[in-house]
Amino acid sequence: MQRDIGSFPFSPTVRVKLKNAGFSTVEDLTGLKPSELSKEVGISKEAALEVLQLVKGELDPVHSHQSSMPTTSKSTTSSQRLTPSQQSKTGSTLTALDMLRQEKSHQPIVTFCQDLDEMLGGGVQLGKITELCGAPGVGKTQICMQLCVDVQIPQCFGGVGGEAVYIDTEGSFIAHRVADMAKAAVQHCTCISASSQSTEEQEALSTFTVNHILSGIHVFRCHNYTELIALVNLLPDFVTEKNKVHLIVIDSIAFHFRHDFDDMSLRTRLLNGLAQNLIRIATHQNLAVVLTNQMTTKVGGHNGHSHLVPALGESWGHASTIRLILFWRNSQRYATLYKSPSKQEMTVPYDITLSGVRTVTQISSESNISTSDHASEDGDTNPRKRLRVEDESR
């Protein structure tokens, strides 16, 4: 009877509202009807019914088995069934068809580089973790700042119409640079609206301004790994309050974990916990999580050569859904799709201009590259294939 409300698989929104209304344990819900709980907490009657069904096993042990599967109960009508996104938040079963429809309904976040967007399947995907790995100066932070602008493009222009959270661990976030990108994005949408003469687009442009874009980027500065972990733990509540957030950026994930760690097993446990929290946020809140990672040198391989690999070790490579390797080749930036569950491995060029991330219009013959060319730079190792690196070595 004293089980804490927070131990149930409620959505973050419902959990916060229950806590704010004074419901801390299962006992607090004893004798309440769905209509009464709905009015007192400020949630729909369907959500209130779902809450009571989930805690029914604690209140009435005889019906414990029935309450563990609320969405399949015979008493649940079609009007009380949860949507796929709601089902994922409460831990209920989803069919593969539901998941496919849900993924197709998500509008990805464009990068303004056509080749990069096509490689990613339309842009950075919502509900997934995308990791950008590369050496300093290759454009990781520039891409992150560009995404913070692009996530706010109105839906009538093919955007998401959301906001962004930017967690800066290195002090590399530059507001003036973001303002330049925002100005270019506004001009781009203005040109589209002028050619289409759409009333909806013109109305959207009245609020899609540089100041509006900058106001939609919530920046946090973390000075050590303790602050980073604490902030990630608080993100669900923040995202629930700021319900327009559709992008979380951590730039970079590796900075505080590559120094001052004598106990490498502790570092691995902390990183695994951080990864699990980020996966949960991306899935439950239906938003994109973008991480940047540094590169480190692996000394000696099967052929005795040294080559660059993503930092934080092999186990961290499982945290992201999609991983990109960014690198230079003859003064041209390239991105290799290193890991993806749905897209084939490939390498595309991209450019960083005054306006932000853009498509490369022309590449010299010297800069043309294939994946095998990139592999030959670092010995015979193919960078697209995962390198077996011991966690403790990094």
Side-chain angles (χ1 to χ4, degrees):
M1 298 286 279
Q2 295 297 325
R3 181 176 173 182
D4 191 89
I5 289 295
S7 64
F8 288 90
F10 300 138
S11 70
T13 302
V14 172
R15 186 181 295 112
V16 170
K17 288 186 176 181
L18 285 171
K19 290 286 188 180
N20 292 340
F23 295 98
S24 301
T25 64
V26 173
E27 189 176 14
D28 298 332
L29 298 172
T30 305
L32 283 178
K33 297 179 180 179
S35 57
E36 296 172 341
L37 182 62
S38 171
K39 184 176 180 180
E40 189 165 350
V41 177
I43 58 179
S44 66
K45 291 183 180 179
E46 290 78 7
L49 176 62
E50 183 67 19
V51 169
L52 294 178
Q53 286 179 325
L54 282 171
V55 302
K56 190 177 180 182
E58 294 290 328
L59 298 174
D60 184 5
V62 176
H63 300 289
S64 176
H65 178 69
Q66 296 177 358
S67 65
S68 65
M69 299 179 63
T71 60
T72 58
S73 173
K74 294 181 180 179
S75 62
T76 303
T77 64
S78 59
S79 62
Q80 296 167 349
R81 294 185 187 277
L82 301 177
T83 63
S85 60
Q86 289 173 324
Q87 286 177 322
S88 64
K89 290 177 182 179
T90 59
S92 304
T93 302
L94 279 174
T95 67
L97 181 59
D98 290 333
M99 296 180 68
L100 178 62
R101 289 171 176 170
Q102 190 175 5
E103 289 183 2
K104 286 185 175 180
S105 67
H106 297 166
Q107 177 67 32
I109 306 170
V110 299
T111 65
F112 275 170
C113 174
Q114 184 177 354
D115 294 334
L116 203 54
D117 288 337
E118 290 179 355
M119 182 175 70
L120 293 171
V124 175
Q125 303 294 322
L126 300 185
K128 295 179 172 60
I129 296 180
T130 302
E131 184 180 16
L132 308 177
C133 308
V138 77
K140 301 186 299 295
T141 299
Q142 298 288 318
I143 294 176
C144 289
M145 292 189 293
Q146 181 71 66
L147 291 172
C148 288
V149 172
D150 296 349
V151 73
Q152 302 184 59
I153 295 175
Q155 294 180 354
C156 58
F157 289 100
V160 178
E163 295 181 355
V165 170
Y166 197 105
I167 301 176
D168 184 7
T169 67
E170 299 183 5
S172 55
F173 182 87
I174 304 174
H176 287 292
R177 180 62 179 139
V178 178
D180 292 338
M181 295 178 176
K183 182 178 179 180
V186 172
Q187 291 175 347
H188 177 75
C189 292
T190 301
C191 293
I192 295 176
S193 176
S195 60
S196 65
Q197 297 296 322
S198 170
T199 304
E200 182 183 5
E201 292 177 354
Q202 292 176 358
E203 291 178 353
L205 281 176
S206 63
T207 56
F208 188 61
T209 63
V210 173
N211 289 340
H212 176 80
I213 293 173
L214 295 178
S215 299
I217 304 176
H218 310 278
V219 182
F220 296 88
R221 181 74 169 92
C222 292
H223 298 86
N224 53 59
Y225 73 88
T226 305
E227 291 183 4
L228 176 60
I229 294 174
L231 178 57
V232 171
N233 288 333
L234 295 174
L235 277 179
D237 292 338
F238 181 84
V239 172
T240 300
E241 180 184 353
K242 306 286 185 179
N243 57 11
K244 291 188 66 178
V245 172
H246 283 80
L247 171 67
I248 294 176
V249 172
I250 301 182
D251 182 26
S252 72
I253 193 68
F255 186 71
H256 294 310
F257 287 97
R258 297 188 67 189
H259 310 284
D260 303 327
F261 264 99
D262 296 327
D263 187 349
M264 300 307 293
S265 62
L266 172 62
R267 188 187 81 161
T268 300
R269 291 195 300 270
L270 291 175
L271 283 171
N272 289 340
L274 188 62
Q276 290 299 318
N277 283 337
L278 292 174
I279 292 171
R280 190 178 301 112
I281 292 171
T283 304
H284 290 183
Q285 303 288 354
N286 187 29
L287 50 78
V289 175
V290 176
L291 315 173
T292 67
N293 194 0
Q294 301 170 352
M295 302 293 283
T296 188
T297 303
K298 181 183 179 183
V299 180
H302 66 280
N303 53 11
H305 294 287
S306 301
H307 50 268
L308 294 176
V309 296
L312 300 182
E314 175 63 20
S315 64
W316 176 254
H318 300 285
S320 59
T321 314
I322 300 166
R323 175 179 267 188
L324 299 180
I325 304 293
L326 312 180
F327 61 96
W328 287 94
R329 172 78 172 194
N330 295 331
S331 301
Q332 174 62 58
R333 293 178 171 92
Y334 286 89
T336 293
L337 186 59
Y338 180 86
K339 173 188 176 184
S340 173
S342 58
K343 303 295 291 184
Q344 65 179 358
E345 300 173 348
M346 61 186 301
T347 299
V348 299
Y350 66 98
D351 203 0
I352 305 293
T353 69
L354 292 176
S355 299
V357 180
R358 291 296 184 270
T359 305
V360 176
T361 55
Q362 185 177 1
I363 306 178
S364 64
S365 59
E366 293 181 346
S367 297
N368 288 337
I369 185 171
S370 65
T371 308
S372 59
D373 292 333
H374 179 49
S376 64
E377 282 188 317
D378 300 318
D380 297 329
T381 304
N382 188 341
R384 299 181 307 165
K385 304 301 181 183
R386 179 165 302 167
L387 301 171
R388 301 297 174 186
V389 185
E390 294 296 332
D391 293 344
E392 291 77 6
S393 65
R394 300 291 167 249

